[in-house]
Amino acid sequence: SSVLNILHAEFDGYSEFSDSFAQLVSAGPVGIRQGDALVADTTDTAFAGLPSTSRTRQHRRTVTKLEGSLISEADNENQVVVAIADAMAALNTVYSKCKILHGNINDRAILLQKTTDGIKGVLADFDYASSAGDNVAETPESVLFQSILSLENSGTGRSPLDDAESLFYLACSLGTLGINRADRAEFVAGRRLPISSWNKGVAEDIASIKRFHMSTVGSFDEEIQARMRDGPLRNLALDMYRALFRHLGTFGTRRITNAELEEIRDDDIAAALRVLPVIDGRRDPLVLRLQFVDEIISNLLDILAWHRNRALAALHAGVASTAPEPTTRPSAGPSLKHYRDEVPLAGPSKRPHH
């Protein structure tokens, strides 16, 4: 509720911004009646007599205006693409103005709202919001969509890339498992999919699996993209992957040992990696990636705007996004800047074992 108060104080009167996230009506702590007293509902009062919790949490209720339907109620993938693009724009605006990060992007945090022009996405659920640079205090239940560094909670602090990475995982999930219940039941019946491992086990194991899936273009294609249905979300996911994990200033997600550092064929990347702290004998390219946040976010905004315009054009033309799209990229695709598909490191990534 405090985050929504900050947002509405900052954007009051600017409908082009304030309409991008849930509108606060009321909020406050929840009390429990004990005799004649009203006691605040916190972990300390709920578990009185037990060992103290590591972090006291207070039960609060937030009332917001009804903004739209869940993204899982979308009619087709083009609507989902529009919603994801609008969520990315809202995340960027909130970060640019208030230095606040969402922290819990999932399939219930983005709503679909009908407008006079068609449809748009609205960002909701700021329960895990935090300031940029804060460490992760606790991992939300929806680990499926959490970024790798957030899952590992290795002390790097949150950045806008964490929310953007979560949007990417959301696109991958919906493009693989289906956008709604009926769609999902038809597509996933009897299938064992690598993406299902993003939602099983402890956070560190899930992070390790995601690192493997995102380590190279080949790994992403074989494990994730090839198992997505042809359509707008599949194309969007590939472009988001390139922007997030193939930036020219870094590469992939694979941690680098000292021996592997000598094999890197890009002198600038090797020099940048050498100054990173060594953790468990390895250097992390995702930590190096934090030096290029502005470039990556700018690229993502351009990519998502392009896909949004294409999806809106299809919706206005009445084109069903469930029909397969061409397997080749359109010649007038989004402008992909600062990225490479090749990996400047010899040797394949290894599948994690847990």
Side-chain angles (χ1 to χ4, degrees):
S1 60
S2 59
V3 171
L4 289 176
N5 278 322
I6 293 172
L7 298 183
H8 289 289
E10 182 70 31
F11 298 121
D12 186 36
Y14 297 90
S15 60
E16 68 271 28
F17 298 142
S18 61
D19 289 347
S20 299
F21 46 81
Q23 303 292 299
L24 181 67
V25 175
S26 180
V30 174
I32 301 175
R33 179 68 64 181
Q34 295 183 354
D36 295 331
L38 190 64
V39 179
D41 184 14
T42 69
T43 50
D44 282 348
T45 56
F47 298 102
L50 297 176
S52 60
T53 58
S54 59
R55 182 183 182 209
T56 299
R57 298 190 63 190
Q58 185 177 53
H59 183 186
R60 302 178 66 88
R61 289 189 183 275
T62 302
V63 180
T64 60
K65 293 181 181 178
L66 182 63
E67 301 293 350
S69 58
L70 294 174
I71 201 172
S72 59
E73 297 175 23
D75 296 325
N76 54 63
E77 286 192 9
N78 281 316
Q79 291 183 348
V80 176
V81 169
V82 171
I84 290 176
D86 289 345
M88 182 67 207
L91 288 169
N92 183 63
T93 299
V94 170
Y95 172 73
S96 299
K97 294 285 186 180
C98 307
K99 294 296 182 281
I100 287 176
L101 304 174
H102 189 280
N104 190 26
I105 296 295
N106 59 71
D107 55 356
R108 302 182 68 84
I110 304 173
L111 306 177
L112 290 170
Q113 186 180 86
K114 292 183 177 180
T115 68
T116 54
D117 296 329
I119 198 165
K120 72 173 185 178
V122 178
L123 197 59
D125 188 10
F126 283 83
D127 289 355
Y128 287 86
S130 65
S131 298
D134 287 353
N135 288 321
V136 181
E138 53 190 320
T139 301
E141 293 181 3
S142 54
V143 292
L144 171 62
F145 309 110
Q146 286 294 291
S147 71
I148 293 170
L149 290 181
S150 291
L151 287 167
E152 292 173 343
N153 197 12
S154 56
T156 56
R158 285 178 173 172
S159 84
L161 294 179
D162 294 311
D163 285 340
E165 196 176 319
S166 292
L167 280 178
F168 162 70
Y169 295 138
L170 178 61
C172 291
S173 175
L174 295 176
T176 303
L177 304 177
I179 59 174
N180 53 46
R181 183 174 297 178
D183 192 29
R184 187 164 302 182
E186 176 183 354
F187 187 66
V188 186
R191 294 173 65 96
R192 295 183 62 185
L193 300 167
I195 201 172
S196 64
S197 60
W198 294 359
N199 206 28
K200 298 177 181 177
V202 298
E204 292 81 4
D205 290 347
I206 296 171
S208 179
I209 292 168
K210 285 183 175 179
R211 278 187 182 272
F212 169 70
H213 289 166
M214 305 304 148
S215 58
T216 67
V217 176
S219 179
F220 171 67
D221 177 63
E222 179 181 351
E223 300 289 334
I224 305 300
Q225 189 193 12
R227 301 164 194 269
M228 298 176 70
R229 64 182 69 192
D230 288 334
L233 285 172
R234 188 174 189 265
N235 286 336
L236 174 64
L238 175 60
D239 288 336
M240 292 186 73
Y241 168 78
R242 285 169 165 166
L244 282 164
F245 299 108
R246 313 287 348 146
H247 187 276
L248 278 172
T250 179
F251 60 97
T253 55
R254 179 181 171 189
R255 294 187 183 96
I256 308 301
T257 65
N258 287 332
E260 291 169 333
L261 186 61
E262 301 306 317
E263 300 177 17
I264 293 179
R265 299 185 292 268
D266 188 306
D267 292 340
D268 291 336
I269 291 180
L273 282 170
R274 283 192 180 94
V275 303
L276 293 178
V278 178
I279 302 174
D280 296 330
R282 298 183 178 187
R283 293 171 172 86
D284 191 349
L286 289 183
V287 176
L288 177 59
R289 186 181 67 166
L290 294 172
Q291 299 177 23
F292 307 99
V293 171
D294 291 343
E295 285 184 1
I296 295 173
I297 293 299
S298 176
N299 205 11
L300 282 169
L301 290 168
D302 290 344
I303 288 168
L304 283 158
W306 186 90
H307 282 278
R308 184 186 193 277
N309 289 337
R310 192 162 185 249
L312 279 177
L315 289 170
H316 292 159
V319 177
S321 66
T322 52
E325 290 199 347
T327 54
T328 57
R329 303 289 300 147
S331 57
S335 175
L336 292 168
K337 302 182 290 292
H338 315 297
Y339 90 99
R340 75 174 93 219
D341 274 342
E342 71 273 14
V343 181
L345 174 68
S349 297
K350 297 180 180 179
R351 184 184 299 273
H353 298 283
H354 301 297

